[in-house]
Amino acid sequence: MGQIEWAMWANEQALASGLILITGGIVATAGQFTQWYFGAYSIAAGVFICLLEYPRGKRKKGSTMERCGQKYMTKVVKLFGPFSRNYYVRAILHLGLSVPAGFLLATILGTACLAISSGIYLLAATRGEQWTPIESKPKERPQVGATIKQPPSNPPPRPPAEARKKLSEEEEVATGVSSGPQENPIPVTDEVV
Amino acid sequence: MKERICQQQERKTVMMGCWMLNESVSVILALLWLGVNLYLFIDTFRWYGEEESFFYTRVILGSTLAWARASAVCLNFNCMLILLPISRNLISFIRGASICCRGPWRRQLDKNLKFHKLVAYGIAINATIHIAAHLCNLERYHLSQSAEAEGLLAALSKLGDTPNESYINPIRTPHTNTTTELLSTIAGITGLLISLALILIMTSSTEFIRQISYELFWYTHHMFIIFFISLSIHGAGRIVRGQTPESLLLHNVTFCRDHYAEWQAAARCPVPQFSGKEPSAWKWVLGPVVLYACERVIRFWRFQQEVVITKVVSHPSGVLELHMKKRNFKMAPGQYVLLQCPSISSLEWHPFTLTSAPQEDFFSVHIRTAGDWTRALHTAFEAEGQTIKEPRSLPRLAVDGPFGAALTDVFHYPVSVCIAAGIGVTPFAALLKSIWYKCCESQTQLKLSKAIHIALHWDENTDVITGLKQKTFYGRPNWNNEFRQIAYHHPSSSIGVFSCGPKALSKTLQRMCRLYSSADPRGVHFYYNKESF
């Protein structure tokens, strides 16, 4: 469990909490429950959280799968600088946003989920994680001169360069790691397409 | 130009027809599942909407009673189903036992994870409906008990205050709020626990999280224990109450509902008596829970069995080969086992395809470094360094399985095409070795007359695993050409296509199978089988 980036899970959890807050808020407002104005707050808070959490942060190692169309929100979230980068800020923000929704039953599940998400963000922050925007790199134009290499000398089918070197060094040795080359009981045909 | 468009339209129709034929069994099963869900939902909805014993409950709650109960029945059904697709031993048993249900039905067993996800989505949707409906119900119960409630509502809510009466409104006092009421009932607390468990399970099961940290997904998924325990006691409070049958005989609802002021006094309308519905969720889930518990017990028992490591080979591209022996271990090519290394993690079991043939006196796996656990395994076997470890100092391994995979069907086709990418060559290694052994034994007659193996190597240093002399094509093949050639050379055969590799490859191959399968039932047909973990 050591390598996991907690912020990634916190992000999924926060996004889910946002949607749950919106749903709970709609139920409370449409049903005109007692203290339904907390429901209206929940909808607003839910929308804000969804917009904030939609752009996924970049992983420290490896490639990150972007969410569909997230580059527009990435630009907006980037504008907040350290407030969006720092996960302590997010943890406190989510905790703060979750409290008013706790006063209404319809949104209490959203509160619980958002509080859990805040906890995971806190854990991520203590481990030094940060939100880095995923930016598309400008496409490098391949330099035409550099890609032309020496054309191959032998006709196809040909194994790659390394195998050719290996074959020339050790022609009799087996290519496998078990007991050596085995005779084929049925002919293995080569179908060149 | 018109002719070209016509030809294109015809081609599209043929493709659609072929796709429908190939996918039809999966679609049929999915529709069957959906149909049962809809039937249960609508039937329960109508029952609660019309049933006389719930007339007074409907007076308070309106239509949301029916919504809540209908979604509850669907939830029971789906929670019953969810554990079955991941009971690997059960699936292997069905696969082995079903001699009659060959072909397309057996192939459905390979899609168990997809079905598990489908049922999970069903649970999520029904849970949302159920929660929303019960939120409304609680709110209405609260309003009926408040000072502003009048008439029949008020009369119904007051029932239960005196000793001879049974209540219908679970909220007994106006001086409370719905949150407090929720948290003071078993149903409320368990409901909250169930919902939280479900949400945490779902957020840690997204494809992204599974890819970056399988351990988080695996550990968080064990919250299903909390889920099922809470589900079983969720209805214990018996909050949803209907009129008792004895009371219905004495108290005519159609007449008495307008004479609520006289209930206490008149003999015509004695006070209606109510009782709660007994919890039924445990009846639905008991079977699968017991089956899954047995599944875990089998895994534990297999864990206790001794596994002897006979050979450890370290391949240059970060692939570790282990030869092992275990008593009564029988396998078929293409099957996989679950490995556990207690010194790394006592809870994690990871799947690996078997690369040895059944005819060999050992079984082997090839493990590529892909994450925390596999890296730790490599270090434990000191695959990086040159030192030779004593056999006794090697870490202990536990093996569960073997479990069935698509390749056991390879021998059922007259022609099979096996396409592998990267570490995906492992299942086919076992297969090719097995074919080699079978051909060496002159007595056995193989239905399989031709096996075409295409292995894609993207690593420069990947070794050939089997040691057989085989031609490997380097670089990405032109699939259209390949399939056209195969279709041309085997005009009226059933051809099984097996692949193990990345999703993009799988999608391409599926498309090729649809394209090159002939519409004529006597013509060539490509059947696509995929294995993934």
Side-chain angles (χ1 to χ4, degrees):
Chain A
M1 289 274 260
Q3 309 282 12
I4 182 205
E5 287 188 48
W6 293 98
M8 298 291 136
W9 185 31
N11 171 263
E12 302 277 340
Q13 181 69 15
L15 194 60
S17 313
L19 293 170
I20 294 167
L21 278 172
I22 294 174
T23 317
I26 291 175
V27 169
T29 320
Q32 290 285 294
F33 289 0
T34 330
Q35 296 181 313
W36 64 269
Y37 36 85
F38 281 115
Y41 160 80
S42 282
I43 298 175
V47 169
F48 170 71
I49 291 166
C50 284
L51 289 173
L52 172 66
E53 297 290 343
Y54 191 71
R56 206 176 254 149
K58 204 159 95 171
R59 283 173 65 196
K60 273 195 202 133
K61 281 189 276 185
S63 61
T64 320
M65 235 161 60
E66 265 191 30
R67 290 203 177 99
C68 178
Q70 79 167 43
K71 55 180 191 252
Y72 307 105
M73 273 318 296
T74 311
K75 285 189 202 133
V76 178
V77 175
K78 231 173 57 174
L79 287 173
F80 290 93
F83 288 108
S84 51
R85 244 193 340 258
N86 192 310
Y87 283 142
Y88 281 112
V89 172
R90 279 206 201 196
I92 297 169
L93 176 72
H94 286 326
L95 195 61
L97 285 174
S98 67
V99 167
F103 289 104
L104 180 64
L105 179 63
T107 50
I108 215 173
L109 187 60
T111 303
C113 292
L114 198 57
I116 291 174
S117 161
S118 159
I120 308 173
Y121 265 129
L122 190 64
L123 179 60
T126 53
R127 292 163 54 85
E129 293 177 31
Q130 266 202 9
W131 186 83
T132 12
I134 302 176
E135 260 138 8
S136 54
K137 293 190 198 118
K139 281 199 187 139
E140 295 167 11
R141 291 187 172 276
Q143 290 140 355
V144 179
T147 53
I148 297 175
K149 293 193 179 106
Q150 187 71 359
S153 49
N154 40 340
R158 45 178 173 265
E162 299 82 357
R164 256 180 279 139
K165 282 188 212 141
K166 268 194 195 160
L167 278 172
S168 61
E169 285 169 19
E170 15 171 54
E171 247 163 81
E172 264 103 56
V173 180
T175 50
V177 289
S178 26
S179 46
Q182 311 196 355
E183 283 301 307
N184 296 318
I186 48 169
V188 173
T189 47
D190 225 8
E191 295 197 346
V192 179
V193 180
Chain B
M1 182 64 179
K2 266 193 199 165
E3 212 182 273
R4 212 149 165 226
I5 297 170
C6 279
Q7 276 179 359
Q8 279 178 351
Q9 299 275 34
E10 207 187 302
R11 200 128 186 258
K12 275 188 191 161
T13 329
V14 166
M15 261 177 75
M16 192 64 189
C18 290
W19 176 80
M20 282 170 73
L21 210 63
N22 269 335
E23 307 287 312
S24 56
V25 181
S26 306
V27 171
I28 289 172
L29 284 174
L31 286 176
L32 187 66
W33 169 82
L34 191 63
V36 174
N37 269 294
L38 284 173
Y39 167 74
L40 286 171
F41 194 95
I42 294 171
D43 187 58
T44 317
F45 190 87
R46 282 205 339 214
W47 195 86
Y48 276 94
E50 292 161 5
E51 173 62 20
E52 213 182 347
S53 54
F54 282 93
F55 179 83
Y56 286 129
T57 326
R58 281 199 297 279
V59 166
I60 304 180
L61 299 178
S63 64
T64 45
L65 167 72
W67 282 100
R69 293 304 313 155
S71 54
V73 171
C74 287
L75 276 172
N76 284 338
F77 174 63
N78 284 309
C79 289
M80 176 185 77
L81 289 180
I82 192 105
L83 285 176
L84 299 174
I86 38 149
S87 300
R88 286 192 183 94
N89 286 292
L90 175 70
I91 290 175
S92 287
F93 175 75
I94 295 173
R95 199 193 293 273
S98 57
I99 312 159
C100 57
C101 313
R102 283 276 181 78
W105 293 98
R106 285 264 298 275
R107 271 201 294 283
Q108 296 317 307
L109 293 171
D110 301 336
K111 301 191 181 179
N112 55 334
L113 284 180
K114 271 200 186 141
F115 187 64
H116 180 79
K117 287 177 204 169
L118 182 67
V119 175
Y121 284 125
I123 290 180
I125 293 171
N126 280 300
T128 312
I129 300 173
H130 186 76
I131 295 172
H134 271 318
L135 285 173
C136 294
N137 288 340
L138 258 178
E139 186 67 24
R140 286 182 188 176
Y141 274 137
H142 175 62
L143 284 174
S144 304
Q145 194 60 267
S146 67
E148 292 90 33
E150 293 170 345
L152 184 55
L153 274 178
L156 285 169
S157 302
K158 284 201 187 65
L159 288 175
D161 287 338
T162 55
N164 296 0
E165 292 171 356
S166 48
Y167 68 89
I168 181 175
N169 190 335
I171 298 183
R172 303 307 311 148
T173 158
H175 312 291
T176 179
N177 62 22
T178 45
T179 314
T180 324
E181 285 300 314
L182 181 101
L183 294 174
S184 57
T185 54
I186 297 177
I189 299 171
T190 52
L192 196 58
L193 277 175
I194 293 174
S195 318
L196 279 175
L198 182 67
I199 291 165
L200 286 171
I201 288 176
M202 293 195 84
T203 55
S204 62
S205 310
T206 60
E207 198 181 329
F208 180 62
I209 298 284
R210 263 183 289 133
Q211 274 177 13
I212 67 171
S213 174
Y214 195 83
E215 295 141 319
L216 176 70
F217 154 72
W218 178 244
Y219 285 122
T220 320
H221 236 72
H222 282 79
M223 295 195 74
F224 76 87
I225 300 170
I226 300 177
F227 182 92
F228 277 99
I229 294 174
S230 304
L231 181 67
S232 312
I233 53 177
H234 185 59
R238 304 181 190 221
I239 294 183
V240 177
R241 302 171 75 80
Q243 211 171 340
T244 59
E246 302 84 25
S247 175
L248 274 173
L249 290 170
L250 299 168
H251 178 112
N252 185 333
V253 167
T254 344
F255 173 75
C256 295
R257 64 181 176 187
D258 301 314
H259 299 83
Y260 48 86
E262 303 157 15
W263 284 350
Q264 305 285 354
R268 275 182 310 176
C269 294
V271 171
Q273 300 295 333
F274 300 94
S275 66
K277 192 179 158 300
E278 61 170 26
S280 61
W282 69 271
K283 295 177 197 164
W284 288 81
V285 303
L286 184 65
V289 164
V290 166
L291 268 173
Y292 190 71
C294 292
E295 161 89 25
R296 297 300 285 253
V297 166
I298 291 175
R299 281 194 206 176
F300 180 73
W301 174 69
R302 280 180 161 156
F303 165 76
Q304 301 292 63
Q305 291 181 318
E306 203 191 343
V307 174
V308 177
I309 301 169
T310 55
K311 193 169 171 182
V312 177
V313 183
S314 169
H315 294 269
S317 51
V319 175
L320 182 70
E321 179 182 352
L322 297 172
H323 289 211
M324 292 170 276
K325 279 193 190 180
K326 192 177 166 199
R327 200 178 294 181
N328 294 332
F329 188 86
K330 285 186 186 48
M331 60 161 282
Q335 288 195 304
Y336 66 94
V337 288
L338 290 174
L339 285 187
Q340 192 208 59
C341 188
S343 55
I344 301 174
S345 166
S346 53
L347 293 177
E348 294 177 37
W349 292 80
H350 293 258
F352 296 100
T353 319
L354 290 162
T355 48
S356 55
Q359 293 86 350
E360 290 169 321
D361 61 353
F362 60 90
F363 64 93
S364 69
V365 289
H366 281 68
I367 303 166
R368 182 175 67 99
T369 331
D372 281 354
W373 191 86
T374 38
R375 218 170 288 128
L377 194 73
H378 278 236
T379 325
F381 281 88
E382 277 202 345
E384 328 284 318
Q386 296 297 321
T387 52
I388 303 166
K389 274 197 140 171
E390 291 297 309
R392 255 175 248 142
S393 65
L394 288 174
R396 186 181 157 228
L397 278 184
V399 172
D400 191 13
F403 299 105
L407 291 182
T408 44
D409 291 338
V410 167
F411 293 104
H412 299 142
Y413 294 96
V415 181
S416 287
V417 181
C418 306
I419 297 145
I423 197 69
V425 303
T426 43
F428 303 107
L431 179 71
L432 290 173
K433 281 194 210 173
S434 178
I435 295 174
W436 183 84
Y437 277 107
K438 283 198 176 175
C439 291
C440 282
E441 299 164 21
S442 46
Q443 300 99 328
T444 44
Q445 276 290 330
L446 275 181
K447 184 179 176 188
L448 179 68
S449 65
K450 191 163 186 184
I452 302 165
H453 182 213
I454 305 170
L456 305 170
H457 294 268
W458 279 309
D459 282 351
E460 289 158 10
N461 304 322
T462 322
D463 289 11
V464 173
I465 295 169
T466 57
L468 291 172
K469 278 195 236 173
Q470 57 181 355
K471 201 79 178 182
T472 47
F473 289 89
Y474 292 91
R476 210 165 288 196
N478 183 336
W479 295 115
N480 278 300
N481 284 347
E482 298 283 349
F483 273 78
R484 202 176 296 130
Q485 286 282 320
I486 296 170
Y488 177 70
H489 285 115
H490 307 93
S492 39
S493 322
S494 290
I495 302 179
V497 176
F498 299 85
S499 91
C500 190
K503 254 195 193 152
L505 177 67
S506 162
K507 280 204 174 86
T508 314
L509 293 173
Q510 253 179 313
R511 212 176 62 238
M512 291 293 127
C513 287
R514 284 182 230 139
L515 257 173
Y516 288 96
S517 288
S518 130
D520 182 356
R522 290 163 303 171
V524 68
H525 283 278
F526 288 94
Y527 294 98
Y528 181 70
N529 298 268
K530 181 175 87 89
E531 180 60 42
S532 63
F533 299 115

